Amino acid sequence: MMLDMFMLSLFSIQIAFLANGHIYIRYMSQGKHAEARELMYNGALLFFSYNQQNSAADLSMLVLEVLEKSDTKVEDEILENLAKLFSLMDPNSPERVAFVSRALKWSTGGSGKLGHPKLHQLLAVILWKEQNYSESRYHFLHSSDGEGCAQMLVEYSSSRGYRSEVDMFVVQAVLQFLCLKNKNGASVVFSTYTEKHPSIERGPPFVQPLLNFIWFLLLAVEGGKLTVFTVLCEQYQPSLKRDPMYNEYLDRIGQLFFGVPPKQSPSYGGLLGNLLNSLMGSGEEDDVAEEAHEDSSPIELD
């Protein structure tokens, strides 16, 4: 009996879906974009509640279609609705990847930039709750939430990392924040991580040389003196060799904050170049924070 009632409910929803489709077309033709968006959003939530993933994903895409075809301004409520739809999608579905890519593109005016920081922050929290730490980390990097990023990294390190790599989790994040010209994010993620992590003794100075390096680096970035930066990198080379990416990031940081001339090659090559370009967008020398790249795949944390 209960199964029959459930099937009847699904049938009723399918009928409503067809009816809503006609209403959606009429709303769009009349320029009633807000009404069309609300209709598709509520319909998607209804299908999600019955675990009808495909139909729900179709309606979620129509929500984005309305946004793309209208002059709707980016507002927190809309970003929260998009994040809600994202959270309800099957994490392993290709529709989810397509949805988040389009949502991020719309949130920055369809210009191909990396996405609105608020939307990145909302996505990062959702992925954090799913314990998808690497993708959460990517989105935190493009948000303005350094504190949230640090707390996620503490959990990531404590649950998945080796004790000997406790410093490496935050070092890479700080360097990448700096590569995105986000000095404040770099500082906040470092101070919060070193304060909250149970395996790090209170500093500075710290027991781990890499943490001391980052502390000095953040001070050097504020001062902007090339000689200080150069000596710092030389003195800590043994520790920096723990990850071959560190010196690549420092090359970029040297260009951005200390006036170091770029390498003769217009862009980095090979695997390291792909990782840098994935993080920073197209790799333009003077406008790294503004240039974009539509690929929302994360940079893996080693």
Side-chain angles (χ1 to χ4, degrees):
M1 180 68 177
M2 292 186 64
L3 179 60
D4 290 341
M5 292 180 63
F6 177 73
M7 295 303 296
L8 181 60
S9 297
L10 285 182
F11 179 73
S12 299
I13 293 172
Q14 294 289 350
I15 295 297
F17 173 73
L18 294 175
N20 284 350
H22 292 295
I23 299 173
Y24 169 79
I25 294 172
R26 186 168 73 249
Y27 278 160
M28 292 297 289
S29 65
Q30 295 173 351
K32 296 181 178 180
H33 298 126
E35 291 85 348
R37 186 180 73 249
E38 183 177 359
L39 181 70
M40 294 299 101
Y41 176 72
N42 290 329
L45 294 182
L46 181 60
F47 275 109
F48 278 127
S49 70
Y50 282 88
N51 199 30
Q52 298 298 298
Q53 284 283 328
N54 291 336
S55 296
D58 289 342
L59 293 181
S60 298
M61 289 297 186
L62 288 177
V63 171
L64 289 175
E65 182 177 286
V66 176
L67 293 172
E68 291 165 350
K69 291 183 177 181
S70 64
D71 295 325
T72 307
K73 295 182 179 180
V74 176
E75 298 176 351
D76 284 353
E77 182 181 359
I78 295 176
L79 297 179
E80 289 165 3
N81 287 346
L82 294 178
K84 176 69 172 179
L85 296 175
F86 174 82
S87 72
L88 294 172
M89 290 182 180
D90 180 355
N92 299 314
S93 68
E95 290 82 7
R96 196 189 210 196
V97 176
F99 177 82
V100 73
S101 178
R102 284 180 66 181
L104 287 168
K105 185 175 181 179
W106 169 80
S107 72
T108 45
S111 60
K113 293 185 178 181
L114 289 167
H116 195 283
K118 174 67 174 179
L119 182 55
H120 275 296
Q121 192 268 342
L122 294 169
L123 297 172
V125 171
I126 293 167
L127 292 161
W128 178 9
K129 290 178 180 178
E130 295 176 359
Q131 297 185 336
N132 189 340
Y133 298 113
S134 61
E135 289 196 29
S136 173
R137 181 177 173 281
Y138 170 84
H139 289 290
F140 269 125
L141 282 170
H142 295 288
S143 75
S144 300
D145 189 4
E147 183 175 353
C149 182
Q151 292 174 343
M152 182 277 294
L153 289 174
V154 169
E155 183 178 309
Y156 190 7
S157 168
S158 300
S159 62
R160 305 279 179 89
Y162 295 104
R163 187 180 180 87
S164 61
E165 297 178 345
V166 64
D167 51 350
M168 299 180 74
F169 279 77
V170 71
V171 168
Q172 189 177 38
V174 169
L175 295 178
Q176 291 177 342
F177 268 116
L178 290 175
C179 284
L180 292 167
K181 292 184 179 179
N182 190 345
K183 292 192 296 183
N184 181 66
S187 180
V188 171
V189 74
F190 179 72
S191 60
T192 305
Y193 183 89
T194 53
E195 178 184 341
K196 301 288 187 181
H197 202 294
S199 298
I200 294 178
E201 297 181 12
R202 184 64 61 90
F206 300 95
V207 173
Q208 298 88 347
L210 273 177
L211 296 183
N212 289 321
F213 170 78
I214 292 297
W215 176 50
F216 285 125
L217 176 64
L218 291 171
L219 293 174
V221 165
E222 288 298 326
K225 293 185 178 180
L226 176 58
T227 53
V228 175
F229 174 71
T230 302
V231 171
L232 183 61
C233 292
E234 290 176 352
Q235 290 295 316
Y236 281 90
Q237 262 316 299
S239 297
L240 293 173
K241 289 180 180 178
R242 290 175 63 189
D243 188 329
M245 281 302 298
Y246 290 162
N247 283 317
E248 295 290 336
Y249 292 134
L250 288 168
D251 283 345
R252 170 62 73 178
I253 291 167
Q255 295 170 32
L256 293 176
F257 297 103
F258 300 97
V260 177
K263 293 182 178 180
Q264 291 184 351
S265 174
S267 63
Y268 297 99
L271 176 60
L272 300 183
N274 291 337
L275 289 173
L276 280 172
N277 289 335
S278 175
L279 168 67
M280 298 182 292
S282 66
E284 289 295 328
E285 298 297 334
D286 299 323
D287 204 16
V288 64
E290 287 73 28
E291 290 299 328
H293 175 322
E294 293 181 17
D295 180 10
S296 62
S297 60
I299 295 175
E300 297 296 337
L301 182 61
D302 295 333

